[in-house]
Amino acid sequence: MVELRWLSHSAFEISSEKLVVYVDPYISGNPETPIRVEEIKKANYILVTHDHFDHLGDAITIAKNTGAKIVVVPELAEKLGKEGVSVVAPNMGSMIKLEENFSVGMVQAFHTSTIGAPVGFVFTVNGKTFYHAGDTCLFGDMKLIGEIYKPEVALLPIGGYYTMGPKEAAIATSLLKPKVVIPMHYRTFPVLEQNADKFVDEVKKITPEVKVVVLKPGEKFEI
């Protein structure tokens, strides 16, 4: 069993019996998150999609407190390494095995960043495959991500303004064809979509066979 907990925005905690992984841990200053950084006592890896404040977030603090390794693109890894944290610095193109039951691959994300390129992550935990899209617009090669990696759970931004909105994210869902899609990157800021209702309606129209799971901050989903 793998447990996924949404910490609001694009931040997730994914845990199994032996592994705890955080993605884009924006906690300090996040008005929606249900936890404090000080509460995080265990982490093995932290996946960071890009260096914007609401994605890099508290990765450095968590890594220093727990000894977790931060997985980022090489350019950002060089900067973070100077902060005294352990980094893993692959690039886009293939899956890499980091633990017996944990593999990670970087894929494209169309967005901006200050250092290095923004990415999405495909990762497997105990044989379950997840796709975290990071911040991105809709792009056609999401179909390839779906065909090659067959993610069971897709974590997609729906907030608009900075990323895909509900309509585009629903089309992304139809390209990826996951078993489950979980919306993220909404509600946190006033310019974003404030709820997932439009996204849920669009997915029902376009890809009704995909299960939409709308989590409240702090809620968990098991797979």
Side-chain angles (χ1 to χ4, degrees), residues 52-149:
H52 287 168
F53 76 95
D54 55 331
H55 294 266
L56 178 58
D58 298 284
I60 294 172
T61 300
I62 296 169
K64 286 183 176 180
N65 290 346
T66 64
K69 295 179 180 179
I70 304 178
V71 184
V72 288
V73 292
E75 296 81 3
L76 185 53
E78 183 177 356
K79 178 187 176 182
L80 298 185
K82 294 175 182 176
E83 299 284 344
V85 297
S86 296
V87 294
V88 181
N91 214 318
M92 290 173 277
S94 67
M95 299 287 286
I96 60 171
K97 187 175 182 179
L98 296 179
E99 301 277 347
E100 182 62 33
N101 291 308
F102 181 54
S103 296
V104 175
M106 290 180 175
V107 295
Q108 283 182 308
F110 288 87
H111 191 58
T112 59
S113 58
T114 306
I115 300 174
V119 300
F121 282 100
V122 176
F123 57 97
T124 62
V125 179
N126 284 3
K128 306 296 182 182
T129 304
F130 301 82
Y131 168 49
H132 187 295
D135 275 5
T136 190
C137 64
L138 176 65
F139 59 95
D141 281 351
M142 286 181 172
K143 186 170 189 244
L144 282 178
I145 292 171
E147 290 176 353
I148 295 169
Y149 300 109

Side-chain angles (χ1 to χ4, degrees), residues 187-205:
R187 193 171 127 174
T188 325
F189 309 128
V191 295
L192 303 182
E193 291 284 333
Q194 293 300 298
N195 59 62
D197 295 350
K198 293 178 186 176
F199 174 67
V200 173
D201 291 342
E202 289 290 332
V203 173
K204 284 180 180 178
K205 284 190 282 186

Side-chain angles (χ1 to χ4, degrees), residues 1-5 13-17 19-21 125:
M1 183 195 74
V2 179
E3 185 177 83
L4 179 148
R5 180 167 64 144
E13 175 194 82
I14 298 94
S15 58
S16 63
E17 297 85 356
L19 195 71
V20 179
V21 178
V125 179

Side-chain angles (χ1 to χ4, degrees), residues 167-216:
K167 181 177 181 179
E168 295 84 2
I171 295 170
T173 303
S174 73
L175 295 175
L176 291 160
K177 292 182 170 55
K179 293 179 181 177
V180 175
V181 62
I182 298 176
M184 64 177 186
H185 206 282
Y186 67 99
R187 193 171 127 174
T188 325
F189 309 128
V191 295
L192 303 182
E193 291 284 333
Q194 293 300 298
N195 59 62
D197 295 350
K198 293 178 186 176
F199 174 67
V200 173
D201 291 342
E202 289 290 332
V203 173
K204 284 180 180 178
K205 284 190 282 186
I206 299 172
T207 319
E209 66 273 18
V210 177
K211 180 180 179 180
V212 182
V213 175
V214 179
L215 299 174
K216 295 177 182 177

